[in-house]
Amino acid sequence: MRLHLFVPFLLPVLGTALLLQALKEIPRALLTKFTLFSQYSAASTCRGNHNSTSVGSPVYCGVESCPLISAADTEILFGFSNIDPGDTAGYLAADHTNGLLIISFRHTMTMANVITDWTISQVDASAACSGCLAHKGYWSAAVAVGQVLKRPIRHAKARYPDYGLAVTGHSLGGALATLYAVSLRNEGYNADFYTFGAPSIGNYVFAEFITNMSDSDRGRNYRITHLNDEVPKVLYRTSRAPALNLVVAEYSQSGPEYWITSAFEEPVTTADIQVLEGVNNEGGNLGRELGSLRDHLWYFGPTSFCLMP
Ligand SMILES: *[C@@H]1O[C@H](CO)[C@@H](O)[C@H](O)[C@H]1NC(C)=O
Ligand SMILES: *[C@@H]1O[C@H](CO)[C@@H](O)[C@H](O)[C@H]1NC(C)=O
């Protein structure tokens, strides 16, 4: 008798729960895109993609295999290195198969890159958004490389007007990708970003501004994290820790976050990625107390294709 009363109520609840479970899985095509960009990101570690000799060649992956890049018709349009401050390196490439213009920034490989990472005081970033403060090292490096990329981007967009713009990078490269995507969007371009284990780039207002951009039609944010990766949360946690908060300015993280829950070197399925909306959502990487550096080094595959800077 009681049960009969409950069943009509339970069924919709169960149905909704199952539906929510199904909705949580990301589409297969998005997982493939994440894997493709993890390869474009790792390829930024190869010097062969940085210089003028590489222009016109396909994106190079060193000795590693990069099946998704190899399967595509790719072409380096512009390579850059030693951009100061920050010693930034990377490349701009066209992917004719997927209709994309990709800007990829290299992660920390040199002493100058380490100094950039550790220049954690904040500077005024009102050039990007009102009330925004940015990590000084990342901001200075992003502004400098943005100047260098102005003409190549304009030319590439003129040549391939229908291609989408996408910025990518791992770690330091992810911080630069975030800031550079914001600058492209502010210039009127539509630009997606795909970052892997990217540290915070600024204060709460900046994170909220970036999060809001993804909800509008300025380009999507794909801030991808892996399990307990220390790097995306270290500034967030440090700036909220007793005593440390007195010396470290407030740092936040933008949404949405795509949190990989597979273990190190385990294959990632669509069910292994959780989407966390909003600024500073602690339901994913930010919420796990102790960080791991090993989790930082693996995103769908190796985060580096070439070992020498
Ligand atoms: C430029 O790239 C080529 C590979 O495409 C590499 O052999 C060469 O060492 C690079 N030159 C410099 C100056 O880095
Ligand atoms: C982001 O959007 C919310 C909701 O529209 C708004 O209240 C907030 O001021 C926006 N923040 C920034 C930094 O633009």
Side-chain angles (χ1 to χ4, degrees), residues 66-86:
C66 52
L68 294 180
I69 295 181
S70 304
D73 174 16
T74 68
E75 178 191 0
I76 298 281
L77 301 178
F78 181 71
F80 50 93
S81 57
N82 308 113
I83 311 295
D84 284 321

Side-chain angles (χ1 to χ4, degrees), residues 80 91-92 101-105 127-128 139 142-143 145-157 163-168 176-194 206 209-210 213 217-220:
F80 50 93
Y91 64 87
L92 163 66
L101 293 170
I102 297 126
I103 304 102
S104 180
F105 295 108
W139 177 260
V143 167
V145 75
Q147 287 300 322
V148 172
L149 284 168
K150 256 194 159 74
R151 273 168 62 90
I153 290 288
R154 192 148 21 96
H155 287 166
K157 261 316 242 187
Y163 285 21
L165 267 180
V167 194
T168 192
L176 298 179
T178 308
L179 288 169
Y180 185 59
V182 169
S183 126
L184 284 173
R185 291 169 183 179
N186 281 339
E187 283 171 43
Y189 293 107
N190 189 298
D192 296 332
F193 70 71
Y194 296 82
F206 209 161
F209 179 79
I210 295 170
M213 276 181 147
D217 58 357
R218 313 299 296 279
R220 290 286 301 164

Side-chain angles (χ1 to χ4, degrees), residues 1 4 44 47 88 122 150 170 188 192 219 254 256 258 264 271 287:
M1 190 71 185
H4 277 191
S44 66
R47 213 168 22 165
T88 304
Q122 290 184 348
K150 256 194 159 74
H170 167 250
D192 296 332
S254 61
Y258 292 79
F264 185 78

